Amino acid sequence: PRSEAPSPSRSEPRTANSTPQKRDSGADARTHPTPPTPYDPASAGGARGGRFSGGRGVLERSDDEVPPTPIAAISPFNNKWTIQARLVVKSDTKTYRNARGEGRLFHVDLLDSTGDIRGTFFNDTADKWHDTLEVNKVYRIKGGVVKHAHKMYNTTKSDFEITFSRETTFVLCENAAAPQVSYTFSSIEEIEKKEPQSIVDVIGVMVEVFPLSSVTIKVGSNAGNTVEKRDVMIVDQAKKGMRLTLWDRHKDLVSENDNEKHILAVKGVRVSDFGGCTLSTTRSAMAELNPDIPEAHALRGWFDAEGAGATYLPIALSVSKSNDLATDRVTCIDIKEKQLGAEQVDYFSLKAWVNHFKHDGTWNYPANPENRKKVIRQGDQWFCEQSQRVITNAERRYIMQVSVSDITGSQWVTAFDDLAKQLLGGVSADEMQEWQDSDNPEFAKTFARSIWKPYVFKVRAKTETWNDEKRVKCTLVAANLVDWTSGAAELRKQIQKEFQL
């Protein structure tokens, strides 16, 4: 009888320099089917997959004609699959920390004719493949654990995602067919009506590129780190502009010194209501300059013919002009009768007078100046639950309930710090709190001189649940004092339209 070394268990870890042991094809193999063996340069007759060499995954050419598994058919119940797909998104490597220590990860999004799916690499596997894999290349991929997708972080359409392992192989397929990146573009007008935190695809002409700037991460495992970003202004055929913030690798796509008005297409941007309505790239976003797609050609033709000479303002600014809001203007009674915000998030404009500031309860809160989160007093200091830090000084921020009225009735709206400060003539919440604590008459006088002023408000209405009770909350997004000249012209147009004059 031959003396044989026992076959390694699938769960037994291997180092980068270890060589896979060959399995005997005898009884043991018959009772325990042999799993696919990773590429071994010492025993393979031809280069057909990725191999580990010098700390990087090495890609070879493939002539494998085995039919690939459609991405739509990938599930935890099928562990023998081979994907042939285009790599459309590759994230940066991210450091994470948990109870077991620190680690590294990055993810890729893969696309074929049936759909897309996300795959994630961890630690040594992430180091092995990150610098090797290229966006927009087609690969044949084997090996990995399929599990249900975590939709909070995964924007692909598949219900599942893959965790790649040391046994995963990537084979470059230079001449293989695979679909190009597919977009589902939303226009700037459509994005303006989207709910905050929505993920959309956008395309526009970059009419302004701002210099790089940096911000400090306030919370999370990377708190304290400084990251760079770049803001750009994009416009489309609706002649509206929107600010888009480019993070991570996307910030280097363009430069403020480049005078070309490039077409920018981005897949996977997040909608924010900060400052009105803005966009920002996510870690899984994919951005292209001047893509060869019909939407880009149509946008270029429009811009060169008529759009280049126009002046654009961001949505956050342009929507607060009274003469730009005639199409979505409502009254106080319309909010209730039309049930705005009951079924979805609604944005509208409202011309009304401020008639009362509610200041007999909670009208401000102490906040951490770094992250604007509420803090709790601990003696002479403050504790921030968000960052788990004790800080010396807190700043007060408005969370003001304001009653506004027009000829049809009144409506309560919430004004947060910047807008409440604007309505109160620029007085900060710290000043107001100090006046209230010292019984300074300026406290009451500030409220008195700030009422009965007419504004054109941009309002967001959204249903929220409080103590198991649903109610519509109206929040101010922008406020401008009424411009009587443009307001009179707008009123004339409404009268002409109403009476067909």
Side-chain angles (χ1 to χ4, degrees):
R2 290 185 301 165
S3 175
E4 298 180 358
S7 299
S9 168
R10 285 180 61 86
S11 61
E12 181 180 343
R14 291 195 296 116
T15 63
N17 296 323
S18 63
T19 303
Q21 298 185 23
K22 297 183 179 179
R23 291 181 179 268
D24 183 66
S25 58
D28 184 68
R30 289 191 294 272
T31 56
H32 302 285
T34 304
T37 303
Y39 178 84
D40 181 3
S43 59
R48 298 174 64 84
R51 69 178 186 270
F52 193 46
S53 174
R56 294 183 60 186
V58 179
L59 299 170
E60 306 292 348
R61 305 300 182 261
S62 171
D63 58 356
D64 196 343
E65 295 182 357
V66 176
T69 306
I71 284 179
I74 295 294
S75 76
F77 310 105
N78 175 18
N79 58 8
K80 293 183 179 180
W81 47 262
T82 299
I83 297 174
Q84 180 168 304
R86 186 178 300 277
L87 194 156
V88 294
V89 170
K90 184 179 77 169
S91 74
D92 295 329
T93 298
K94 177 184 177 182
T95 300
Y96 67 91
R97 297 181 182 90
N98 56 29
R100 291 177 292 181
E102 185 176 284
R104 303 167 306 286
L105 66 85
F106 80 94
H107 67 256
V108 295
D109 290 352
L110 304 166
L111 175 73
D112 72 6
S113 59
T114 68
D116 58 349
I117 193 169
R118 175 162 297 179
T120 304
F121 302 79
F122 290 92
N123 299 322
D124 291 345
T125 312
D127 299 338
K128 172 182 176 180
W129 289 111
H130 187 271
D131 292 338
T132 303
L133 299 179
E134 296 181 56
V135 172
N136 215 26
K137 297 290 187 181
V138 179
Y139 298 98
R140 288 180 70 91
I141 308 154
K142 295 181 183 179
V145 178
V146 180
K147 61 180 182 179
H148 286 277
H150 196 317
K151 285 301 183 182
M152 182 178 293
Y153 306 105
N154 187 337
T155 57
T156 62
K157 295 180 181 179
S158 176
D159 292 328
F160 307 104
E161 58 190 20
I162 305 170
T163 298
F164 295 122
S165 66
R166 294 179 179 178
E167 298 179 355
T168 299
T169 60
F170 279 75
V171 181
L172 182 63
C173 306
E174 287 189 334
N175 300 318
Q180 298 290 333
V181 178
S182 60
Y183 294 95
T184 306
F185 290 120
S186 296
S187 68
I188 291 177
E189 279 189 324
E190 292 170 336
I191 292 172
E192 184 186 359
K193 300 174 184 177
K194 296 282 187 181
E195 187 171 353
Q197 305 305 311
S198 298
I199 302 296
V200 299
D201 300 346
V202 67
I203 186 170
V205 183
M206 288 189 296
V207 295
E208 189 170 6
V209 178
F210 297 90
L212 286 173
S213 59
S214 60
V215 297
T216 302
I217 300 175
K218 307 300 183 184
V219 297
S221 59
N222 294 315
N225 293 345
T226 300
V227 296
E228 290 186 320
K229 68 182 182 74
R230 186 190 300 278
D231 290 336
V232 299
M233 182 68 66
I234 60 172
V235 301
D236 65 11
Q237 291 94 325
K239 296 185 178 180
K240 289 189 175 183
M242 183 168 284
R243 185 178 291 256
L244 167 63
T245 301
L246 304 175
W247 297 92
D248 303 317
R249 64 195 182 280
H250 302 112
K251 71 181 186 302
D252 300 320
L253 274 176
V254 292
S255 167
E256 66 272 21
N257 298 320
D258 187 351
N259 295 322
E260 293 292 329
K261 305 301 182 186
H262 295 287
I263 305 292
L264 177 65
V266 190
K267 183 177 182 65
V269 294
R270 191 181 305 278
V271 180
S272 170
D273 59 354
F274 179 75
C277 186
T278 56
L279 300 171
S280 62
T281 57
T282 62
R283 289 186 179 274
S284 60
M286 179 180 178
E288 288 187 281
L289 282 184
N290 306 312
D292 187 12
I293 56 177
E295 295 89 344
H297 298 315
L299 194 57
R300 171 58 64 196
W302 163 79
F303 187 79
D304 291 345
E306 57 178 295
T311 300
Y312 302 91
L313 287 174
I315 286 288
L317 298 177
S318 63
V319 297
S320 62
K321 298 293 185 180
S322 60
N323 60 348
D324 288 335
L325 292 172
T327 55
D328 60 355
R329 178 71 55 82
V330 302
T331 62
C332 288
I333 198 171
D334 286 335
I335 299 173
K336 298 178 178 66
E337 290 186 347
K338 296 181 179 180
Q339 296 184 326
L340 297 176
E343 300 294 333
Q344 62 182 20
V345 178
D346 286 312
Y347 287 85
F348 52 85
S349 68
L350 173 69
K351 184 168 73 174
W353 279 252
V354 174
N355 63 63
H356 180 66
F357 293 89
K358 191 176 188 302
H359 55 274
D360 54 352
T362 301
W363 52 273
N364 73 69
Y365 66 95
N368 183 341
E370 294 184 351
N371 58 25
R372 302 180 180 180
K373 299 298 182 182
K374 185 177 180 179
V375 294
I376 302 170
R377 182 182 288 278
Q378 291 185 347
D380 294 332
Q381 297 181 314
W382 303 85
F383 177 70
C384 177
E385 292 183 336
Q386 178 72 30
S387 63
Q388 293 295 300
R389 293 170 51 199
V390 175
I391 62 175
T392 304
N393 298 311
E395 68 172 9
R396 294 199 171 266
R397 298 182 63 82
Y398 287 114
I399 181 170
M400 186 74 70
Q401 300 300 311
V402 183
S403 177
V404 300
S405 60
D406 62 12
I407 194 173
T408 68
S410 62
Q411 175 68 42
W412 284 102
V413 296
T414 300
F416 289 103
D417 194 61
D418 291 340
L419 281 171
K421 185 176 179 179
Q422 176 186 341
L423 297 180
L424 291 171
V427 181
S428 70
D430 282 322
E431 292 177 277
M432 291 290 283
Q433 184 66 54
E434 184 178 345
W435 290 341
Q436 185 183 40
D437 293 342
S438 61
D439 292 326
N440 190 318
E442 278 299 312
F443 179 73
K445 289 180 179 179
T446 301
F447 286 119
R449 61 173 170 257
S450 300
I451 60 174
W452 303 120
K453 292 184 178 181
Y455 288 88
V456 175
F457 296 110
K458 178 71 183 293
V459 185
R460 181 181 70 246
K462 180 183 179 182
T463 298
E464 295 185 351
T465 302
W466 178 259
N467 290 334
D468 296 327
E469 179 183 348
K470 290 185 176 181
R471 59 183 181 181
V472 175
K473 179 180 179 181
C474 292
T475 303
L476 295 185
V477 176
N480 270 52
L481 285 169
V482 170
D483 181 340
W484 294 108
T485 302
S486 61
E490 176 190 318
L491 183 59
R492 181 178 62 187
K493 290 180 181 178
Q494 291 179 334
I495 293 172
Q496 291 173 337
K497 180 178 179 181
E498 181 71 22
F499 295 99
Q500 298 181 350
L501 298 177

